[in-house]
Structures are given as C-alpha cells and as structure tokens.
Amino acid sequence: MATVLVTGGAGFIGSHLCDFLIKKGYRVICVDNFLTGSESNIAQLKENPLFKLINHDITKQLKIEGEVDYVLHLASAASPIDYLKYPIQTLKVGSLGTHNALGIAKLKRAVFLLASTSEVYGDPKVHPQPETYWGNVNPVGPRGVYDEAKRFAEAITMAYRKVHSMDTKIARIFNTYGPRMRKKDGRVVPNFIMQAINNEPLTVYGEGLQTRSFCYITDMIDGIYKLMLSSVTEPVNLGNPEEYSILDFAKKIIRLTESTSEITYEPLPTDDPKTRQPDITKAKKLLHWEPKVSVDDGLRKTIEWFREN
Ligand code: NAD
Ligand code: UDP
C-alpha cells in the first residue's frame, strides 16, 4: 500500500485525514510541531503500525527514510486568532514550509497536494467565487499574513510543477467544521456552540450580515481524497455552497442547541470578508464531488461532540 505524508496531521482537518487514510490501508507519516494541533487528535492512531508521528517544524528541512507516494501539505495556523497570534510562523509555514514539503515530494517523486484556502480570494468582489477569480487581498492588513502565505504557496506549487515536472494539486478549502475543532480556536463554529451550550451570549461580530458557507468535515475529507487521486492539476474549490449570514447562523445554533442564549454584537475584525460562497462547478465536474451532509445534520453531530468533550 502507498505511503502518505501529511503535514499538519495533528490538526483538525489533518487528523481526520490521517484516520481516513489509515482506514483505507495507507501507511501515514504525520509531521506536526503542535503549534495549533494536539496529541489527543491522533491518540487513537499512535499504536497503529501503519502510523508514524514525526514531531517537526516543517519550516526546517526534514529527511524522510523510505518511499513516499503522496505529500499532503496541511501545516498552517488556520483560525484568524491563531494566525494573528503567530503571524511570522504563518508566513514561514506557507512559504518555507511549502518549499520544504515540495522538496520532499520532488525527491520522492510523490504527488503533492496543497491545502490552500478561500482566503486567497480575500474580501471577494465576485460572488460566488469561481477558481478563475484572482481575489481582493490586503497584503498589509492583519489577515495578509495568512492570505499572502497561501497565495505564495500556490505560486511555488505551480513553479515546482512546471520546472520539475511534478504532479501537484491545489485544494482551495472553504470554511470547514466538525468534531476536534478546539473549543477556543476562535472560529465561529466552536465559539457559537460553546457559548450556546453554556447559555452565554453569542458574540456576533459587526451586524452579522457577512456571509459564510459551511462544509462538514467528512465531506471535506472525501473531496481532498478525490482530488489527491485525480489527474486535476489546476486549483479546485472544496466547500459547501450552503450560505448563511452570521446572524442567521447564530440563530440556527441557538435553535439546534435549545439554548436560552441571547445575541451580543462586537466590533467586526479588520478586513473580515463580507461574503463567501464557493462555486463548486469544477469539483462537481472534474472530481464528481459535492457535499452530502446538510449544515443542520453536520451541526447536530458537532454539537453532540462538543457536549461530550
Ligand atoms: P489546525 O490549526 O487545526 O491544523 C493545522 C496543523 O498544522 C496543526 O496541527 C499545527 O500544529 C500544524 N502546524 C502549524 N505550523 C506547523 C509547522 N511549522 N510545522 C508542522 N506543523 C505545523 O487547522 P485546520 O483547520 O485543520 O487547517 C488545516 C489546513 O487546512 C491549513 O493549511 C488551513 O490553512 C487549511 N484550511 C482550513 C480551513 C478550515 O475551515 N478548517 C479552511 C481553509 C483552509
Ligand atoms: N464571527 C462572529 N463571532 C465569533 C466568531 C466569528 O461573528 O465569535 C464571524 C467572523 O467575523 C466572520 C465569520 O464569523 O465573519 C467566520 O469567522 P471565522 O473566524 O470562523 O473564519 P473566517 O471565515 O473569517 O476565516
């Protein structure tokens, strides 16, 4: 069976990806420095002979023994409060980290997949966002450290593809949620669920008119896996087009948790995108992929997990 190296494998999406690949019978090498990931996300895999953990910062060079067939590069802070707390690490993992991960893939003649993001579209002026849209990013704003690191990561991936004839893939991941998100990672789903189950006010930023579209983790893993095995070489949006204003999303979570919470309004963070919805025409056509889990069902499962943990 093939070997897959997953950088950021102890994080939210990465650990679900490791579980999924191990179940399919792949050998998995997880590289993570636990900046925002955790041991508990991969505790269930530690004794599995197919699984190996390397505690390493991917911005520093790494020598891997043996064959590697796929390199899936997910390492990066992803929550706005994480990348605001670690701006330089975020820029380094998107640039130096992607360079090193590409270097491993090149040496091993492995397929390379970059976990990019809808943030490459910035505060978009085109709605919904197709892959052909080039984006509206403020390079010197607080989100620039993440957005520009990912834009650089896409550019260096394309350069390696061209110069070294490598097989590369770029997944533009839109807001994804589910079990294992950190309670305090600051993203809207864990914030609202924790506030609602504790009957505390839900903190809506701005007037809550900004929109997001939410994809459940199992759908995202399915999409990443289909892209990994595909012959698609251009960037592909992966996300669930079900779009909500943040205010409606807060009300939905209050209803699903049967909470007595009220809503409070806090200042909108600088450069917070006003709208976001993936155009997934390409993923449907080229990967035969589209999300199967409705936002209500996905949220119910996520709420249950947060209650149990
Ligand atoms: P996460 O913070 O849970 O996971 C990121 C992982 O990368 C963590 O385990 C962290 O410790 C690790 N990491 C960070 N810097 C590292 C370094 N220098 N060396 C080794 N490991 C390092 O975030 P996530 O939500 O699982 O996101 C995973 C990937 O998907 C990221 O690249 C992110 O940009 C992308 N993405 C996620 C979403 C989302 O909604 N979750 C949306 C768009 C893109
Ligand atoms: N948000 C909010 N209250 C919170 C956390 C987030 O209103 O407690 C808003 C945030 O301003 C943004 C949206 O929810 O408009 C999604 O935020 P998140 O941090 O999850 O990710 P983003 O999509 O901005 O990267």
Side-chain angles (χ1 to χ4, degrees), residues 7-15 31-38 41 56-60 73-79 82 89 92-93 97 115-119 146 150 171-177 180-182 185 187 224 276:
T7 76
F12 161 52
I13 299 181
S15 64
V31 177
D32 205 298
N33 68 347
F34 297 98
L35 182 73
T36 56
S38 85
N41 285 345
H56 181 84
D57 178 347
I58 194 64
T59 68
K60 304 200 165 67
H73 181 43
L74 279 79
S76 172
S79 156
D82 287 339
Q89 287 95 326
K92 283 174 79 176
V93 77
S116 185
T117 168
S118 51
E119 282 280 332
Y146 181 65
K150 290 289 186 181
R172 290 194 181 145
I173 300 173
F174 283 64
N175 295 63
T176 301
Y177 69 97
R180 294 191 192 151
M181 293 187 96
R182 278 158 33 234
D185 93 351
R187 287 184 269 196
I224 293 173
R276 184 180 292 157

Side-chain angles (χ1 to χ4, degrees), residues 30-76:
C30 164
V31 177
D32 205 298
N33 68 347
F34 297 98
L35 182 73
T36 56
S38 85
E39 293 266 358
S40 63
N41 285 345
I42 48 168
Q44 70 289 358
L45 296 174
K46 276 221 153 151
E47 303 302 319
N48 193 312
L50 293 175
F51 182 77
K52 184 177 170 191
L53 169 67
I54 302 178
N55 187 337
H56 181 84
D57 178 347
I58 194 64
T59 68
K60 304 200 165 67
Q61 274 198 346
L62 175 63
K63 203 163 171 250
I64 301 282
E65 306 290 338
E67 290 180 15
V68 175
D69 303 281
Y70 299 90
V71 173
L72 311 183
H73 181 43
L74 279 79
S76 172

